[in-house]
Amino acid sequence: MSVKINLDFTLNGRPVTIEVPAEMTVLNLLRDGLDLKGTKYACGEGECGACTIEVDGRTINSCLMMAADLQGRAVMTIEGMQEGHALHPMQQAFVDHGAVQCGFCMPGMIIQANYLVKQNPQLTREEMKRGLEGNICRCTGYTKVLDAVAAVVGLNENKGLEHG
Amino acid sequence: MSEIERYIAPKKLDDALEALAGGPVTIVAGATDLTPQITGGKLSYKATLMNIQHIEGLNAVTKKGGTKKDGKIRIGALVTVSEIRGNHMLKNHAGILCQAADHFASEQIRNAATIGGNICNASPAGDMIIPFLALGASAELARWQDGSIETRSVPLDEFFTGPGRNMARDDELLTAVTFDVPPENSIGLFRKSGPRPALEISTVSMGISGELTEGTLKNVRVAFGAVGPTALRGKLTEAALEGKILNQEVIQAAALAARKDVSPIDDIRATKWYRTHLIGVFTEELLNNVCQN
Amino acid sequence: MAENVAFKHIEKTSMIGKRIKKPDAPAKAIGKTRYINDMVLPQMLYGKILHAGRPHAEIISIDTSEAEKLAGVHLVITAKDTPDLKLGFVKDNAPLKSKVLCERDEVAAVAAISEAIAAAAIKLIKVSYKDLPGVFSAEEGLKADAPQIQENFPGNKSLKFEFKHGDLAEAEAGSDIILDHVFNVHYVTHCCMGTSCAIADFDHNGKLTIYSQTQYPYNYKMDLAPALGIDPGDIRVIQPTTGGSFGAKLDVYPYEPVAAILARKTGRPVKVLFDREEEFINSPTRQPAAIHLRTGCTSDGILTFRSADVLMDNGAYTSWGPTVPVIMMRTVSGHYRVPVIDFKAQAVYSNNAYAGSFRGYGNVQMTYATAQHMDMFAEELSEKYGMDPIEFHLKNAQKSGEVTPQKSYLRECVLAECLTTAAEASDYVNKHKSYTEARAQEGRYKRGIGLASSIHNAGGAKIHKSDGCGTILKMDDYARVTVITGASEIGQGIDAVISQIVSEELGVPPEHVTLVNNDSDIGPWDVGVHASRTTFIAGNGAKRAAIKAKEQILAAASKQANVTAEELDLRGGYVVQDKDGAAVIRLDRMLRQMHFQPTPDVVMVSDYYEPNSELEGKDHISDHSAAYSHAVHIAEVMVDTLTGEVKVEKVTMAQDVGRVINQMGLEAQMEGGLAFGLGFALSEEMIFEEGRLLNPNFRDYKVPTAPEMPEIEMHFIESDCEEGPYGAKGIAELPTIVVAPAIANAVYNATGIRFLNPPMNPEKVARAIWEKKQADS
């Protein structure tokens, strides 16, 4: 067995201390070590985005990142998006706009969509497509996904008007 | 997959270089290239795994001096592709880098992948290598020698020795990529094949840079990706353009030269014919874009 | 009646056609849903299969001793441990192989305490092979000196199909134009995002519980049993949430009995889960085919005959792939009115990958050919005789009540409306003309517009003795409804449709309907989720069960209210007067009153719906679906004539949906179906070299991503199908079927080049344009 490393990091706002083998990926740590199975394996090569999570405010493919590299970082997974019982507005938009079919790619897709809107609250549809190019979905043809993100962007615009 | 006996994540470059000097080390930064190579069995871990992400001073993009001869841009090895894509100074002075970054993999990969990693991985199709070659950039290599850091600078067009191979010695770490600040009248354009904007391994890619004065191109550098064992400079194309007034005749000659510059292979992504054809098409297209702008 | 409901009036409203949210979407969106891939059972072991990785070889010896010694390994098995176990409907396949016939062949399997140990153990198994010369195409397989692949199939001949109707020679003689082309349709695969997985667990009575992604849980038992040597009755199939299916799980594949054999021998639950590379290599493909199509037409634009000779590479084993001619021939004989038909298909064993079912089921392949022939006729008739292209299509479009040569009875047929709607909405005729003119002009980028249409079964397809579906419906004391249906949910949204239908009939909110449909020990029989059948068949079943429940409640209520049952209705959680909506009693109170009386009257009803269709017979003359539907797609493309890149900018679709049930789910199926067709047309291709897959990854097998999706304009034509629930027809395959030839026709419009062999990837398109230029100059 490879050497083990003691890690301290923040996961969905809570501190985690855990020992991991040096070669473990973040995806395996989340799914097998921490039993957070919302983050999905679908290719293991960074080609499909099903394992997308946010680390220090940037999205990455957790199948590629080494768990050891989480030391001192802040992680958000799909399980950390909602507040209490209420779905996060992005999650709700995906539900409301019919963007979820088999749903397997959705945790990664939703994390990525949320990141895109945080980066640019006035995202255009073309920018959404570019921003989601690393997330493969086999069910939806992406159209309803884009509708959902557009609705959240619209929501932000409306909020902006209210406050402005 | 062999066993990792030691994991280190040094904060100081000294410590990292000392570790490198001390024996076989697998270097990891963004891990976007390393992990698939490990899981695919193409690579195995050495006894020490060194995470260089925490080394101070390797994650900055800096510009010293102006656009005259003295100016230098230095991009630390840990700068990510996303950071290049969004960097305003680079957009102003070396836009070709931002163009290539925009066509690199996906947002998630861009957020993790580092410049140092993309260069050291030495893929013939490495998308960030092309603009750096076109900019005439050099790799800054550091090693631990007699209790202090010794650095050397290797021009990138000499750095790559084969697919996945480069000139860095086992005890050397790529710390930065540097290049002269391109003069005010510089042009720089990147082109990559494929119907997808980014998530696509280049069938071919291409970059061109130079100085444009009254329709004449000078100090032209042309780089091609995925058309040989390494990314390469297009010397014949450069010669066909250097000092010439850009007109259709020159552009046609350059496109012809470009086809001669490259020696692509047939593989599952494309045939030699298509790669050569695209190189001609892209050369024409980019030069026409230069004319139009 | 004690309750004060006198002033409450509830108007009659309908759920049908509304946008209904998928009931399971919230849990999926928050990452809480447990997919089969996520499951861990107590004491569970991890199974891993050693695949041959070579196409054709004798197995000289297998040494498993090192693997067995590895700490954490419980068991290693080979074909020696599974003699006489067969699978596949011609029983030409086995869980583990004693001879290698294709790259994926399962040679040995391991059960260990972790995935990593199982993977390590696989690498320790030493197999000595003697490679044999292989057969790598159907043509090679038919040669007299070809190696024999399957012992029981001499000459490598697998399934064969034939259908003839009318006098071909006479029809040919009466044709002014005859088109004759060979279309080579390539290998593609499903790429479900959740990779293949099975978890098997035996109890102490020898009963197997298998957690499976199967799309057909009931017949699955029948198919799995002989691969294990057990009685089908000793199998319980549980279908946890699955990450996509699209036809990939419509058969038993070797990893499933392998998991079960490992489980039986270890006495532990065993999970087999593929990684992505295994998924690519070991999943079924779409059936590739060489389609030699000949079609005749008069100068008046009337189709005279179609003759199709289809050669299919069967691969090493027979799954559902080579049965697709059953649907192909319906297209040949039913895609427009064609009086004379001559259809043949032959599948030939080879050492290549083998095909299963895949969304569109043969029709993707055949429509790629027939719809291009229709476009070629339209072009030629327009050039020679000035015929309007839409007029040509309309002349040959069937109308309601027509019967095809195979006796498909087109009860409600709106192909003409689909054609005119799509053509008008997209300004097809004008654009087509102007792009044709622009073709000869200079310019790197060329636009094109292309029209394609097709027909598909839309009321199931009776290829089994029953095409039915069972439904059990119960209501509790609080007016909550549980529907136990045989229909499977694989992401397509039958959960939303059934809750909507039950809500419509029983006047309860859709969220008060619970669906139970993932356990074969609970659910009644259903033939499976395939053939665009589930909304039609299971929807009808749910509707009929709900009506029975409603009748029971209204009968009870009528006694109390002293009115006839016909004068009552269920709306908004109340029993109401039908005429004015005046509330009579709250529904939950009514149910409790029915329940708690000396002779309890509890609502527990059941239904078995068998569609009004005829079994597909050997002669292929039967009305095998309870409904048929048409779709027309018009694709608009931009072609970069130098790089060969084809960008689909817009697709206008008009489809006969019978009646819209769940508008949102319908749109979602259209969009997703279209994406499959888009990938098939432009970018997806499994590249094989002597039976080995060279691109088992998403880098080089290119499924569409978000930036490649076109704008989609949808027109739903409501033909009001008499047999379908509320008039609905099945819908989910046509969007995949029709878009690819529409793109091909658009690329022709842009470039003047026909692409008979998909995919139209950049290199192929660039090369063809370059060669044409060389030839022209």
Side-chain angles (χ1 to χ4, degrees):
Chain A
M1 278 290 274
S2 288
V3 64
K4 293 203 171 169
I5 300 149
N6 288 309
L7 278 186
D8 292 291
F9 65 101
T10 310
L11 177 59
N12 297 326
R14 293 172 195 279
V16 173
T17 300
I18 195 167
E19 193 179 58
V20 302
E23 77 277 354
M24 188 177 235
T25 63
V26 173
L27 177 63
N28 285 343
L29 172 61
L30 290 172
R31 287 183 59 82
D32 302 335
L34 298 166
D35 204 27
L36 290 180
K37 297 204 190 294
T39 306
K40 299 299 182 204
Y41 164 91
C43 81
E45 300 187 312
E47 295 284 337
C48 78
C51 67
T52 302
I53 61 167
E54 224 179 86
V55 178
D56 288 345
R58 296 172 312 158
T59 49
I60 55 99
N61 295 304
S62 65
C63 71
L64 299 178
M65 187 176 184
M66 312 205 70
D69 197 27
L70 286 180
Q71 176 59 37
R73 298 189 192 271
V75 174
M76 185 178 78
T77 67
I78 191 69
E79 290 90 348
M81 273 183 80
Q82 83 217 71
E83 279 192 36
H85 191 63
L87 269 61
H88 183 280
M90 186 61 79
Q91 294 170 322
Q92 191 63 51
F94 271 63
V95 172
D96 293 346
H97 290 83
V100 181
Q101 292 188 30
C102 92
F104 200 82
C105 69
M106 284 298 144
M109 191 76 82
I110 288 170
I111 287 272
Q112 180 64 12
N114 181 51
Y115 166 76
L116 294 173
V117 176
K118 279 196 288 182
Q119 294 281 304
N120 177 6
Q122 262 80 47
L123 209 61
T124 66
R125 205 160 169 107
E126 282 313 304
E127 286 165 338
M128 285 171 206
K129 286 184 177 181
R130 282 299 314 272
L132 293 171
E133 66 198 329
N135 292 76
I136 292 176
C137 171
R138 201 55 161 159
C139 291
T140 64
Y142 308 98
T143 308
K144 298 250 173 288
V145 169
L146 298 171
D147 291 346
V149 185
V152 172
V153 171
L155 202 68
N156 285 350
E157 277 167 9
N158 292 340
K159 270 187 189 160
L161 288 174
E162 277 168 26
H163 294 296
Chain B
M1 196 187 300
S2 47
E3 283 169 25
I4 300 165
E5 291 165 19
R6 190 166 72 120
Y7 171 82
I8 50 173
K11 290 204 169 77
K12 300 274 180 218
L13 183 59
D14 295 20
D15 297 337
L17 297 179
E18 226 180 319
L20 270 182
V25 174
T26 301
I27 300 169
V28 60
T32 55
D33 276 327
L34 180 71
T35 304
Q37 291 189 47
I38 296 280
T39 47
K42 287 181 193 131
L43 211 67
S44 46
Y45 286 118
K46 294 169 184 164
T48 300
L49 177 66
M50 178 163 73
N51 177 0
I52 61 169
Q53 297 261 45
H54 302 278
I55 299 175
E56 289 157 7
L58 299 189
N59 57 0
V61 179
T62 52
K63 176 164 112 25
K64 277 190 186 149
T67 52
K68 306 281 181 257
K69 288 285 170 210
D70 59 334
K72 274 270 182 210
I73 290 173
R74 183 176 190 280
I75 299 178
L78 293 177
V79 172
T80 63
V81 177
S82 282
E83 285 160 357
I84 300 255
R85 188 176 181 231
N87 187 293
H88 290 289
M89 185 276 286
L90 290 175
K91 263 182 200 149
N92 288 333
H93 291 284
I96 187 172
L97 276 173
C98 307
Q99 294 168 35
D102 188 47
H103 294 287
F104 188 95
S106 65
E107 187 92 5
Q108 293 94 317
I109 303 267
R110 291 190 287 268
N111 282 340
T114 63
I115 290 303
N118 197 244
I119 287 177
C120 288
N121 196 47
S123 162
D127 281 333
M128 291 313 294
I129 293 172
I130 299 304
F132 279 121
L133 278 176
L135 288 164
S138 297
E140 182 186 281
L141 301 173
R143 65 168 173 160
W144 196 244
Q145 186 71 13
D146 302 329
S148 65
I149 298 174
E150 186 184 274
T151 62
R152 61 170 177 147
S153 181
V154 180
L156 270 193
D157 50 12
E158 295 166 20
F159 184 68
F160 305 106
T161 54
R165 293 199 306 275
N166 63 54
M167 277 188 47
R169 290 188 287 256
D170 283 349
D171 62 347
E172 280 180 323
L173 183 70
L174 186 140
T175 46
V177 187
T178 62
F179 55 91
D180 294 342
V181 180
E184 291 289 356
N185 59 342
S186 294
I187 56 103
L189 291 169
F190 175 81
R191 182 68 156 93
K192 170 179 169 174
S193 61
R196 291 184 186 172
L199 194 73
E200 185 95 43
I201 301 276
S202 298
T203 300
V204 300
S205 59
M206 163 172 190
I208 181 164
S209 78
E211 294 159 39
L212 187 67
T213 321
E214 291 167 5
T216 307
L217 268 181
K218 276 188 197 150
N219 294 325
V220 187
R221 284 191 215 91
V222 174
F224 299 118
V227 290
T230 67
L232 51 92
R233 283 276 293 275
K235 297 290 185 185
L236 298 173
T237 317
E238 291 173 5
L241 291 166
E242 186 64 38
K244 304 270 171 60
I245 294 175
L246 262 193
N247 55 32
Q248 281 310 308
E249 199 181 329
V250 169
I251 291 174
Q252 293 299 326
L256 200 66
R259 290 191 196 99
K260 287 183 186 154
D261 264 326
V262 300
S263 51
I265 52 162
D266 289 339
D267 65 17
I268 56 162
R269 291 175 190 143
T271 63
K272 178 185 167 79
W273 175 86
Y274 186 54
R275 288 196 161 101
T276 312
H277 170 80
L278 277 184
I279 287 296
V281 169
F282 286 178
T283 304
E284 261 185 70
E285 178 188 317
L286 291 187
L287 291 170
N288 277 321
N289 287 346
V290 171
C291 284
Q292 276 156 27
N293 299 330
Chain C
M1 302 209 168
E3 191 187 2
N4 182 15
V5 294
F7 302 109
K8 199 168 177 72
H9 289 261
I10 304 168
E11 293 206 8
K12 194 172 181 74
T13 55
S14 178
M15 295 295 293
I16 302 306
K18 296 263 163 45
R19 304 181 77 80
I20 302 293
K21 293 173 201 169
K22 215 169 165 331
D24 64 1
K28 287 174 170 175
I30 64 173
K32 203 175 178 183
T33 299
R34 188 183 69 166
Y35 290 82
I36 186 171
N37 310 54
D38 304 327
M39 281 180 64
V40 179
L41 297 181
Q43 301 184 15
M44 190 177 85
L45 299 174
Y46 295 83
K48 191 89 182 161
I49 294 169
L50 175 66
H51 298 279
R54 60 189 66 230
H56 197 195
E58 304 275 2
I59 297 172
I60 307 296
S61 64
I62 306 181
D63 179 358
T64 58
S65 57
E66 291 297 313
E68 280 159 17
K69 275 186 235 157
L70 186 68
V73 171
H74 277 236
L75 180 68
V76 184
I77 56 170
T78 67
K80 279 202 305 227
D81 303 290
T82 62
D84 308 323
L85 296 180
K86 290 284 180 192
L87 73 151
F89 62 85
V90 298
K91 298 286 172 280
D92 60 354
N93 203 344
L96 292 167
K97 316 298 196 278
S98 50
K99 185 181 176 187
V100 177
L101 300 185
C102 67
E103 181 188 24
R104 70 175 276 187
D105 265 354
E106 298 76 11
V107 171
V110 171
I113 57 168
S114 75
E115 281 182 284
I117 293 172
I122 284 292
K123 290 192 180 134
L124 295 175
I125 299 172
K126 295 189 196 81
V127 188
S128 166
Y129 295 101
K130 183 187 168 214
D131 287 317
L132 301 170
V135 169
F136 301 112
S137 70
E139 292 83 355
E140 281 177 38
L142 287 177
K143 286 183 184 160
D145 59 347
Q148 177 77 20
I149 310 298
Q150 285 275 2
E151 279 172 21
N152 297 329
F153 296 85
N156 294 323
K157 287 197 173 165
S158 174
L159 306 182
K160 185 182 175 180
F161 300 83
E162 213 172 83
F163 175 76
K164 283 183 201 299
H165 181 83
D167 186 331
L168 183 63
E170 193 182 307
E172 286 187 10
S175 302
D176 299 307
I177 311 170
I178 293 178
L179 297 173
D180 186 326
H181 296 91
V182 178
F183 297 81
N184 273 294
V185 183
H186 62 304
Y187 283 99
V188 291
T189 187
H190 309 72
C191 296
C192 302
M193 293 311 289
T195 54
S196 296
C197 185
I199 304 169
D201 189 13
F202 277 87
D203 73 10
H204 290 282
N205 295 321
K207 179 169 176 174
L208 167 67
T209 296
I210 186 151
Y211 301 83
S212 166
Q213 296 162 319
T214 184
Q215 295 175 234
Y216 75 120
Y218 300 94
N219 281 346
Y220 178 84
K221 298 203 268 189
M222 187 98 76
D223 291 347
L224 181 59
L228 298 171
I230 64 176
D231 189 285
D234 286 333
I235 300 175
R236 175 187 185 189
V237 185
I238 295 181
Q239 299 161 278
T241 309
T242 184
S245 217
F246 318 111
K249 312 290 163 39
L250 206 61
D251 202 350
V252 171
Y253 291 106
Y255 69 93
E256 296 162 296
V258 165
I261 293 161
L262 290 169
R264 185 167 51 191
K265 288 185 185 269
T266 57
R268 304 266 208 116
V270 174
K271 176 179 185 176
V272 174
L273 170 67
F274 285 172
D275 64 29
R276 179 56 60 186
E277 185 175 309
E278 286 180 294
E279 182 75 11
F280 268 106
I281 296 173
N282 305 306
S283 298
T285 72
R286 191 187 291 290
Q287 177 64 51
I291 299 169
H292 183 181
L293 185 70
R294 299 177 73 247
T295 316
C297 180
T298 67
S299 57
D300 297 336
I302 304 296
L303 295 173
T304 49
F305 74 91
R306 264 203 202 113
S307 116
D309 191 348
V310 182
L311 187 61
M312 297 179 292
D313 188 331
N314 193 94
Y317 305 98
T318 303
S319 178
W320 290 111
T323 68
V324 299
V326 168
I327 298 300
M328 284 179 162
M329 71 175 82
R330 295 271 164 179
T331 303
V332 170
S333 68
H335 182 210
Y336 296 94
R337 186 186 305 116
V338 191
V340 175
I341 301 296
D342 184 356
F343 180 93
K344 305 197 262 297
Q346 175 73 55
V348 182
Y349 280 108
S350 77
N351 297 110
N352 283 329
Y354 53 103
S357 77
F358 195 165
R359 195 175 195 168
Y361 206 76
N363 205 354
V364 171
Q365 297 90 317
M366 188 49 78
T367 295
Y368 192 75
T370 54
Q372 287 201 66
H373 264 191
M374 289 303 289
D375 195 56
M376 292 179 201
F377 280 133
E379 288 281 333
E380 195 167 337
L381 291 164
S382 162
E383 265 173 44
K384 284 191 182 157
Y385 311 106
M387 190 181 293
D388 177 88
I390 300 301
E391 189 198 329
F392 164 66
H393 284 274
L394 290 173
K395 273 187 178 185
N396 294 286
Q398 298 105 327
K399 298 187 171 61
S400 294
E402 287 191 43
V403 177
T404 72
Q406 279 187 268
K407 301 283 180 280
S408 296
Y409 176 26
L410 311 182
R411 291 168 190 82
E412 307 87 5
C413 177
V414 290
L415 173 55
E417 288 88 331
C418 291
L419 283 162
T420 50
T421 302
E424 277 165 28
S426 62
D427 194 18
Y428 172 80
V429 174
N430 289 323
K431 283 180 181 167
H432 184 266
K433 191 160 170 265
S434 76
Y435 297 151
T436 305
E437 284 161 11
R439 202 154 72 200
Q441 292 158 17
E442 284 291 300
R444 173 171 176 177
Y445 298 96
K446 297 288 183 192
R447 282 184 195 282
I449 189 165
L451 178 152
S453 61
S454 196
I455 183 171
H456 203 65
N457 46 271
K462 200 170 283 183
I463 52 172
H464 296 279
K465 287 171 192 158
S466 167
D467 196 24
C469 174
T471 308
I472 299 166
L473 185 149
K474 67 138 183 139
M475 295 183 80
D476 71 7
D477 296 334
Y478 317 101
R480 299 306 204 261
V481 188
T482 301
V483 179
I484 306 168
T485 173
S488 299
E489 169 66 34
I490 53 174
Q492 85 279 28
I494 191 59
D495 51 356
V497 166
I498 285 182
S499 65
Q500 186 179 7
I501 287 174
V502 170
S503 164
E504 173 77 6
E505 294 303 328
L506 297 178
V508 298
E511 55 274 20
H512 285 187
V513 181
T514 299
L515 195 68
V516 176
N517 66 335
N518 62 358
D519 186 335
S520 69
D521 273 8
I522 296 173
W525 195 87
D526 174 75
V527 80
V529 50
H530 70 102
S532 303
R533 70 184 281 282
T534 305
T535 290
F536 192 101
I537 308 282
N540 261 337
K543 183 182 174 198
R544 286 156 45 118
I547 288 171
K548 282 183 192 171
K550 183 177 177 177
E551 285 169 356
Q552 187 182 343
I553 295 163
L554 295 186
S558 76
K559 279 183 211 153
Q560 290 194 17
N562 278 326
V563 292
T564 65
E566 289 69 35
E567 289 170 90
L568 296 173
D569 194 11
L570 297 177
R571 291 178 203 167
Y574 284 83
V575 178
V576 299
Q577 299 278 358
D578 187 48
K579 62 176 190 298
D580 59 1
V584 174
I585 183 173
R586 238 169 55 194
L587 179 58
D588 59 334
R589 293 181 67 100
M590 183 68 228
L591 287 159
R592 287 195 292 272
Q593 286 183 15
M594 289 165 70
H595 182 182
F596 301 116
Q597 58 178 327
T599 311
D601 181 13
V602 178
V603 178
M604 297 187 296
V605 300
S606 70
D607 177 75
Y608 187 85
Y609 170 68
E610 182 69 44
N612 177 23
S613 54
E614 298 163 359
L615 187 63
E616 176 83 27
K618 281 213 166 86
D619 60 0
H620 305 296
I621 300 173
S622 67
D623 188 21
H624 79 164
S625 181
Y628 304 88
S629 168
H630 288 89
V632 173
H633 284 203
I634 294 180
E636 295 176 60
V637 304
M638 172 77 94
V639 181
D640 180 336
T641 58
L642 294 180
T643 62
E645 285 164 24
V646 176
K647 168 83 184 155
V648 181
E649 295 183 328
K650 186 173 179 184
V651 177
T652 305
M653 37 199 331
Q655 181 167 331
D656 172 7
V657 300
R659 173 102 184 262
V660 177
I661 303 284
N662 179 4
Q663 173 89 19
M664 191 156 76
L666 174 59
E667 291 167 6
Q669 283 297 307
M670 293 289 142
E671 292 156 359
L674 186 135
F676 265 102
L678 188 76
F680 165 79
L682 296 179
S683 59
E684 294 180 35
E685 182 175 22
M686 302 176 88
I687 304 168
F688 288 97
E689 186 178 71
E690 300 220 316
R692 287 185 175 89
L693 182 64
L694 301 182
N695 57 336
N697 55 62
F698 285 132
R699 262 189 316 286
D700 293 314
Y701 184 91
K702 292 174 185 177
V703 304
T705 59
E708 294 146 86
M709 286 304 290
E711 182 192 342
I712 303 170
E713 183 180 317
M714 289 178 256
H715 299 270
F716 299 133
I717 314 293
E718 296 194 309
S719 63
D720 199 11
C721 175
E722 195 188 331
E723 173 90 5
Y726 309 98
K729 290 184 175 181
I731 53 96
E733 289 171 286
L734 272 169
T736 304
I737 292 161
V738 184
V739 74
I743 294 169
N745 291 339
V747 171
Y748 174 79
N749 185 223
T751 65
I753 298 172
R754 291 283 172 196
F755 288 88
L756 307 183
N757 311 331
M760 293 169 276
N761 62 37
E763 171 156 1
K764 198 180 284 175
V765 173
R767 181 94 197 193
I769 292 171
W770 183 81
E771 281 171 357
K772 183 167 184 275
K773 237 183 240 172
Q774 302 301 108
D776 289 351
S777 63

